[in-house]
Every structure is written in structure tokens, then in C-alpha cells.
Amino acid sequence: MAKTKKKQPSVLQTLTLPRRSVRLADHDSRATPGFSGDKAEGKASLDELGGELADLQERLYAQGRSGGKRSVLLVLQGMDTSGKGGVMRHVGGLFDPQGVHLKAFGPPSAEERRKGFLWRIRQQLPEPGRIGVFDRSHYEDVLVARVRGLSSAATIEKRYDAINTFEERLVGSGTIVVKAMLHISPDEQKERLLARLDDPTKYWKYNPGDLQERALWPEYQKAYEIALQRCNTKAAPWLVVPADRKWYRNWAIASILLETLRGMDLQWPPGDFDVDEQRRLLTESP
Ligand code: AMP
Ligand code: MG
């Protein structure tokens, strides 16, 4: 008899926030929920996920090319050095580049600000068949905007509902929205910033302004807690991914995407032509 494989608990479910109030301090940023192995095993496991991820992505892409409407949007949020870029490299690298749409959001231009905070987000939504990955997102407009007082309290207040409506419509139009907060500790951030200063090949990633953001750590955690709670909807729930261990973070995001794609029941699109006839025509052609 074949060895029965122990059923793995769903990483997606394990990391999805419950609908009650959020306390980030209760989430251990060094934990590895859903994975019992060590770093080497985590890296090996990530490699093993690659084949199936690539296969499912190709199916999604094929559907998009054949009139399918579905897509996936992965929203990555987190403090500086939490690994949003690292996820893009490690997990994005598992996919065929033509099926992935990566976008990092910096401070909006004056024109973008005039058009409303969701305008530039809409321009970057994944087309049918694509997997979109956002490094920062519309959530900055209730995070940095709140902490830095970039907009009035009344304006920010309205944005949570606007975000929920926007995401609900997006999901309704066929995009699965996966929102992941990469959760690191301030100690881990200090290590990572120091590592950047120790390595001239990483100076380009260092921004003296990050220290001012770091000084506002409690304010940012609070702003995150509010956003995670108010925008943790049925249509688009929030996940908190412990991110002090890079290998776990990468494995977790890959697992989340894999479970998401598996849940889409992605079949290869049938050809809209007569296969036998085409074979005959081709065989008889000179
Ligand atoms: P980085 O991700 O390190 O390249 O930094 C991007 C910067 O853009 C961060 O300091 C963000 O806070 C900032 N940013 C992104 N979106 C917004 C926004 N909507 N409003 C203000 N600042 C933003
Ligand atoms: Mg930065």
C-alpha cells in the first residue's frame, strides 16, 4: 500500500488574520507557522514548490490568453527591510516573467495625488491571466499617510471603506486578492540596516530617511493594526507573515500562492479548432 502522506495544514488559513482586533505584538516575527523544519529544509521545500507553481501559473496565463478573466494580486506590505523586494526576487523568480506584473510604489507624484489614491493602483492591476505583485500599495495611504499626517484624519478615515469597496469589486471582477504583511521585529530591522552599512554593495538600498521611519515604529505598528483590522474582509482577508527568517518568509509566500492557484481549479483551455482536421491539414501540407 502506498504510504499515506500526512495532510499539510493550509498555510493560507494558518496565516490569515482572524476577524477580531489585531495585536501585532501577539504575532511572533521569528515563528515559522506551518513549517516544522529548519532553514536548509525550508529552502529545499521552496525549490520543490517551484515546479507546481510554474505549471499552475502557465495554466492561468493560458486561460487569460483564451478569454479567461481571472488573475491574482499579491499585495506586500511591511516595514523597511521586511523583505518585500526579496519576495519579489525569490518568489517572482519561480514564474515565467511574461505572466507576472511587478510594481513597487513610491511616494505619489503631484499628478497622482490629484487623481485620488486609488488611481495609480488601478493602472497597475494585473491583466487577466497574470499574477500581479505590489511592493507597497494603496495601504500606504492609510499607513505612512496616517503616521506622517500627510492627509487629514477625516480623509484617512474614509479611505478604509474606499479600500474595502475597491477590493470587493476587484475580487468580483475575477482577481483574487492576497494581502500579506511581512512582520519583522525592530531588532531584526536594526540588524538588516547595519548589514547594509557593512556592505558597499548594499549602500544603494540604504536610505538615511529610513531611520526617521524607524523612530516611528510604535506609530507604524498602530497604523498597521488599524488597517489590518478595518480592511480584513471576507473578499480580501489579511495575512500576517512572520518575516524575521527570510527563508520562512519566502517559503510562506510561495506556499500561499500555491494554495491560491490550486484553489482556482485551473484547467488548460480547450482549443477552439478541430484538432484532427488541423493535424490532417498540417500533415498534407508541403
Ligand atoms: P522603498 O519601498 O524603500 O523604495 O520606499 C518607498 C517610499 O515611498 C516609502 O518611504 C513609502 O512610505 C513611500 N510611499 C509609498 N506610497 C506612498 C504614498 N501613497 N504616500 C506617501 N508615501 C508613499
Ligand atoms: Mg526603503
Side-chain angles (χ1 to χ4, degrees):
M1 208 178 88
K3 219 166 80 186
T4 44
K5 225 171 136 194
K6 219 171 93 206
K7 194 168 173 353
Q8 294 285 317
S10 155
V11 182
L12 200 53
Q13 274 171 29
T14 304
L15 297 180
T16 297
L17 273 180
R19 214 63 65 72
R20 55 183 151 72
S21 72
V22 181
R23 270 175 44 92
L24 281 170
D26 294 343
H27 292 259
D28 177 3
S29 54
R30 286 192 72 76
T32 62
F35 194 82
S36 52
D38 61 13
K39 178 175 178 174
E41 290 166 314
K43 286 188 166 182
S45 178
L46 175 62
D47 287 341
E48 282 168 21
L49 302 181
E52 191 182 347
L53 268 176
D55 173 68
L56 291 174
Q57 185 222 351
E58 195 181 352
R59 290 169 185 249
L60 178 64
Y61 186 76
Q63 288 197 350
R65 291 294 300 265
S66 312
K69 292 277 172 281
R70 294 186 297 172
S71 60
V72 174
L73 175 62
L74 172 65
V75 172
L76 297 171
Q77 283 289 161
M79 300 293 285
D80 281 314
T81 76
S82 61
K84 303 180 293 295
V87 165
M88 292 247 197
R89 273 192 305 284
H90 287 277
V91 181
L94 299 171
F95 295 121
D96 182 338
Q98 71 178 341
V100 186
H101 180 79
L102 305 177
K103 174 64 188 174
F105 289 97
S109 65
E111 196 202 350
E112 286 171 339
R113 267 201 300 273
R114 269 199 308 279
K115 293 195 151 137
F117 78 108
L118 292 172
W119 183 83
R120 65 175 184 160
I121 305 298
R122 288 197 176 94
Q123 311 307 307
Q124 300 293 336
L125 292 173
E127 288 173 32
R130 307 291 164 95
I131 297 176
V133 186
F134 285 177
D135 170 347
R136 302 186 193 270
S137 65
H138 42 301
Y139 282 93
E140 291 296 325
D141 292 276
V142 292
L143 293 168
V144 64
R146 185 177 185 108
V147 171
R148 293 261 172 213
L150 304 179
S151 307
S152 75
T155 298
I156 291 172
E157 183 55 36
K158 285 190 208 130
R159 286 183 183 155
Y160 299 102
D161 289 339
I163 288 174
N164 289 343
T165 305
F166 167 71
E167 291 179 353
E168 199 179 4
R169 287 195 187 139
L170 189 55
V171 172
S173 72
T175 302
I176 295 185
V177 179
V178 180
K179 305 183 292 193
M181 186 226 179
L182 306 181
H183 178 46
I184 55 166
S185 65
D187 287 348
E188 181 65 25
Q189 188 193 55
K190 185 183 259 183
E191 291 290 315
R192 291 184 187 178
L193 288 174
L194 283 170
R196 289 180 182 180
L197 292 177
D198 287 342
D199 180 353
T201 70
K202 291 191 175 158
Y203 289 169
W204 66 276
K205 290 192 196 179
Y206 190 87
N207 171 5
D210 292 348
L211 282 186
Q212 285 147 35
E213 299 297 290
R214 177 176 165 76
L216 295 166
W217 194 277
E219 287 82 358
Y220 270 104
Q221 298 297 293
K222 185 76 210 153
Y224 266 104
E225 286 176 349
I226 296 168
L228 294 178
Q229 189 177 337
R230 295 203 47 188
C231 300
N232 189 21
T233 58
K234 195 156 184 275
W238 263 107
L239 287 79
V240 173
V241 177
D244 277 3
R245 298 176 200 267
K246 294 178 182 173
W247 64 264
Y248 173 77
R249 172 201 76 200
N250 294 336
W251 175 85
I253 295 288
S255 300
I256 288 162
L257 285 173
L258 184 56
E259 287 180 19
T260 300
L261 291 167
R262 277 181 187 158
M264 295 173 79
D265 186 27
L266 294 162
Q267 306 299 331
W268 291 108
D272 54 1
F273 46 82
D274 181 332
V275 178
D276 289 336
E277 185 194 11
Q278 292 300 311
R279 185 180 291 111
R280 183 180 56 75
L281 288 172
L282 193 55
T283 309
E284 288 169 3
S285 70

Short mmCIF file of all heavy atoms in Angstrom, two decimals, residues 237-262:
data_model
loop_
_atom_site.label_atom_id
_atom_site.label_comp_id
_atom_site.label_asym_id
_atom_site.label_seq_id
_atom_site.Cartn_x
_atom_site.Cartn_y
_atom_site.Cartn_z
N PRO A 237 -9.07 39.01 2.65
CA PRO A 237 -8.54 38.96 4.02
C PRO A 237 -7.06 39.31 4.09
O PRO A 237 -6.34 39.25 3.09
CB PRO A 237 -8.76 37.50 4.43
CG PRO A 237 -8.89 36.73 3.17
CD PRO A 237 -9.35 37.67 2.10
N TRP A 238 -6.61 39.68 5.27
CA TRP A 238 -5.20 39.99 5.50
C TRP A 238 -4.47 38.79 6.11
O TRP A 238 -5.02 38.09 6.97
CB TRP A 238 -5.07 41.16 6.49
CG TRP A 238 -4.87 42.48 5.81
CD1 TRP A 238 -5.78 43.48 5.71
CD2 TRP A 238 -3.67 42.96 5.16
NE1 TRP A 238 -5.24 44.54 5.03
CE2 TRP A 238 -3.96 44.25 4.69
CE3 TRP A 238 -2.40 42.41 4.92
CZ2 TRP A 238 -3.02 45.01 3.99
CZ3 TRP A 238 -1.46 43.16 4.23
CH2 TRP A 238 -1.78 44.45 3.77
N LEU A 239 -3.23 38.63 5.70
CA LEU A 239 -2.37 37.62 6.29
C LEU A 239 -1.19 38.32 6.97
O LEU A 239 -0.70 39.34 6.46
CB LEU A 239 -1.79 36.68 5.23
CG LEU A 239 -2.74 35.66 4.60
CD1 LEU A 239 -3.62 36.30 3.55
CD2 LEU A 239 -1.95 34.53 3.98
N VAL A 240 -0.75 37.80 8.09
CA VAL A 240 0.47 38.29 8.71
C VAL A 240 1.52 37.18 8.58
O VAL A 240 1.32 36.06 9.04
CB VAL A 240 0.26 38.66 10.20
CG1 VAL A 240 1.59 39.00 10.86
CG2 VAL A 240 -0.70 39.84 10.31
N VAL A 241 2.62 37.50 7.89
CA VAL A 241 3.67 36.52 7.63
C VAL A 241 4.89 36.86 8.49
O VAL A 241 5.51 37.90 8.29
CB VAL A 241 4.08 36.54 6.14
CG1 VAL A 241 5.22 35.57 5.87
CG2 VAL A 241 2.89 36.25 5.24
N PRO A 242 5.22 36.01 9.46
CA PRO A 242 6.43 36.27 10.25
C PRO A 242 7.63 36.33 9.31
O PRO A 242 7.81 35.44 8.48
CB PRO A 242 6.53 35.05 11.18
CG PRO A 242 5.14 34.48 11.22
CD PRO A 242 4.55 34.76 9.87
N ALA A 243 8.42 37.39 9.41
CA ALA A 243 9.43 37.61 8.37
C ALA A 243 10.85 37.84 8.90
O ALA A 243 11.72 38.28 8.16
CB ALA A 243 9.00 38.78 7.48
N ASP A 244 11.07 37.54 10.18
CA ASP A 244 12.45 37.66 10.68
C ASP A 244 13.37 36.60 10.06
O ASP A 244 14.57 36.79 9.97
CB ASP A 244 12.49 37.51 12.21
CG ASP A 244 12.16 38.82 12.92
OD1 ASP A 244 11.85 39.82 12.24
OD2 ASP A 244 12.20 38.85 14.18
N ARG A 245 12.80 35.49 9.68
CA ARG A 245 13.59 34.46 8.98
C ARG A 245 13.24 34.54 7.49
O ARG A 245 12.12 34.24 7.09
CB ARG A 245 13.24 33.06 9.50
CG ARG A 245 13.57 32.88 10.98
CD ARG A 245 13.10 31.51 11.42
NE ARG A 245 12.95 31.43 12.84
CZ ARG A 245 13.91 31.00 13.68
NH1 ARG A 245 15.06 30.59 13.20
NH2 ARG A 245 13.69 30.96 14.97
N LYS A 246 14.24 34.92 6.71
CA LYS A 246 13.98 35.15 5.28
C LYS A 246 13.53 33.88 4.59
O LYS A 246 12.65 33.90 3.72
CB LYS A 246 15.24 35.68 4.60
CG LYS A 246 15.65 37.06 5.09
CD LYS A 246 16.93 37.51 4.42
CE LYS A 246 17.35 38.87 4.96
NZ LYS A 246 18.67 39.29 4.47
N TRP A 247 14.14 32.76 4.96
CA TRP A 247 13.78 31.51 4.27
C TRP A 247 12.33 31.15 4.53
O TRP A 247 11.63 30.68 3.64
CB TRP A 247 14.71 30.36 4.68
CG TRP A 247 14.63 29.96 6.13
CD1 TRP A 247 15.46 30.39 7.14
CD2 TRP A 247 13.68 29.07 6.74
NE1 TRP A 247 15.06 29.84 8.33
CE2 TRP A 247 13.99 29.02 8.12
CE3 TRP A 247 12.61 28.32 6.27
CZ2 TRP A 247 13.24 28.24 9.03
CZ3 TRP A 247 11.88 27.55 7.16
CH2 TRP A 247 12.21 27.52 8.53
N TYR A 248 11.87 31.41 5.77
CA TYR A 248 10.47 31.10 6.08
C TYR A 248 9.54 32.03 5.30
O TYR A 248 8.53 31.60 4.73
CB TYR A 248 10.17 31.21 7.58
CG TYR A 248 8.68 31.04 7.83
CD1 TYR A 248 8.09 29.79 7.81
CD2 TYR A 248 7.86 32.16 8.00
CE1 TYR A 248 6.71 29.63 7.96
CE2 TYR A 248 6.48 32.02 8.15
CZ TYR A 248 5.92 30.75 8.13
OH TYR A 248 4.56 30.61 8.26
N ARG A 249 9.88 33.30 5.31
CA ARG A 249 9.08 34.30 4.59
C ARG A 249 8.89 33.88 3.11
O ARG A 249 7.78 33.87 2.59
CB ARG A 249 9.80 35.64 4.67
CG ARG A 249 9.25 36.74 3.85
CD ARG A 249 10.33 37.81 3.64
NE ARG A 249 11.31 37.39 2.65
CZ ARG A 249 12.53 37.90 2.53
NH1 ARG A 249 12.96 38.82 3.34
NH2 ARG A 249 13.35 37.47 1.58
N ASN A 250 9.99 33.50 2.47
CA ASN A 250 9.90 33.11 1.06
C ASN A 250 9.06 31.84 0.89
O ASN A 250 8.24 31.75 -0.02
CB ASN A 250 11.30 32.89 0.48
CG ASN A 250 12.09 34.18 0.41
OD1 ASN A 250 11.51 35.27 0.37
ND2 ASN A 250 13.40 34.08 0.41
N TRP A 251 9.30 30.88 1.77
CA TRP A 251 8.55 29.63 1.70
C TRP A 251 7.05 29.89 1.92
O TRP A 251 6.20 29.35 1.21
CB TRP A 251 9.08 28.64 2.74
CG TRP A 251 8.27 27.38 2.80
CD1 TRP A 251 8.41 26.27 2.02
CD2 TRP A 251 7.15 27.12 3.67
NE1 TRP A 251 7.45 25.35 2.34
CE2 TRP A 251 6.67 25.83 3.35
CE3 TRP A 251 6.51 27.84 4.69
CZ2 TRP A 251 5.58 25.25 4.01
CZ3 TRP A 251 5.42 27.27 5.33
CH2 TRP A 251 4.98 25.99 5.00
N ALA A 252 6.76 30.74 2.91
CA ALA A 252 5.36 31.01 3.24
C ALA A 252 4.65 31.68 2.07
O ALA A 252 3.53 31.30 1.70
CB ALA A 252 5.26 31.87 4.50
N ILE A 253 5.28 32.67 1.47
CA ILE A 253 4.62 33.37 0.36
C ILE A 253 4.44 32.42 -0.83
O ILE A 253 3.38 32.40 -1.48
CB ILE A 253 5.44 34.62 -0.07
CG1 ILE A 253 5.45 35.66 1.06
CG2 ILE A 253 4.88 35.22 -1.36
CD1 ILE A 253 4.15 36.40 1.30
N ALA A 254 5.45 31.61 -1.10
CA ALA A 254 5.31 30.65 -2.21
C ALA A 254 4.17 29.67 -1.91
O ALA A 254 3.37 29.34 -2.79
CB ALA A 254 6.62 29.90 -2.43
N SER A 255 4.08 29.23 -0.66
CA SER A 255 3.02 28.28 -0.29
C SER A 255 1.65 28.92 -0.40
O SER A 255 0.68 28.29 -0.84
CB SER A 255 3.23 27.80 1.16
OG SER A 255 4.47 27.16 1.28
N ILE A 256 1.57 30.19 0.00
CA ILE A 256 0.30 30.92 -0.09
C ILE A 256 -0.14 31.03 -1.55
O ILE A 256 -1.31 30.82 -1.90
CB ILE A 256 0.47 32.32 0.55
CG1 ILE A 256 0.57 32.19 2.07
CG2 ILE A 256 -0.66 33.26 0.15
CD1 ILE A 256 1.16 33.41 2.75
N LEU A 257 0.80 31.37 -2.41
CA LEU A 257 0.45 31.49 -3.83
C LEU A 257 0.06 30.13 -4.40
O LEU A 257 -0.89 30.02 -5.18
CB LEU A 257 1.63 32.07 -4.62
CG LEU A 257 1.85 33.57 -4.45
CD1 LEU A 257 3.14 34.01 -5.13
CD2 LEU A 257 0.66 34.36 -5.01
N LEU A 258 0.79 29.11 -3.99
CA LEU A 258 0.49 27.77 -4.50
C LEU A 258 -0.92 27.35 -4.09
O LEU A 258 -1.71 26.88 -4.92
CB LEU A 258 1.53 26.77 -3.97
CG LEU A 258 1.40 25.34 -4.47
CD1 LEU A 258 1.43 25.29 -5.99
CD2 LEU A 258 2.52 24.47 -3.90
N GLU A 259 -1.25 27.55 -2.82
CA GLU A 259 -2.59 27.17 -2.36
C GLU A 259 -3.67 28.00 -3.07
O GLU A 259 -4.74 27.49 -3.40
CB GLU A 259 -2.71 27.36 -0.84
CG GLU A 259 -1.94 26.30 -0.07
CD GLU A 259 -2.04 26.48 1.44
OE1 GLU A 259 -2.96 27.19 1.91
OE2 GLU A 259 -1.18 25.93 2.15
N THR A 260 -3.36 29.27 -3.30
CA THR A 260 -4.32 30.13 -4.01
C THR A 260 -4.56 29.61 -5.43
O THR A 260 -5.69 29.47 -5.88
CB THR A 260 -3.77 31.58 -4.06
OG1 THR A 260 -3.60 32.04 -2.73
CG2 THR A 260 -4.73 32.51 -4.80
N LEU A 261 -3.48 29.30 -6.12
CA LEU A 261 -3.61 28.82 -7.51
C LEU A 261 -4.29 27.45 -7.55
O LEU A 261 -5.12 27.18 -8.41
CB LEU A 261 -2.23 28.77 -8.18
CG LEU A 261 -1.58 30.14 -8.44
CD1 LEU A 261 -0.11 29.99 -8.79
CD2 LEU A 261 -2.31 30.88 -9.56
N ARG A 262 -3.94 26.59 -6.60
CA ARG A 262 -4.61 25.27 -6.56
C ARG A 262 -6.10 25.43 -6.39
O ARG A 262 -6.88 24.70 -6.99
CB ARG A 262 -4.08 24.46 -5.37
CG ARG A 262 -2.77 23.73 -5.65
CD ARG A 262 -2.41 22.94 -4.39
NE ARG A 262 -1.09 22.34 -4.50
CZ ARG A 262 -0.35 21.99 -3.45
NH1 ARG A 262 -0.81 22.19 -2.22
NH2 ARG A 262 0.82 21.43 -3.62
#
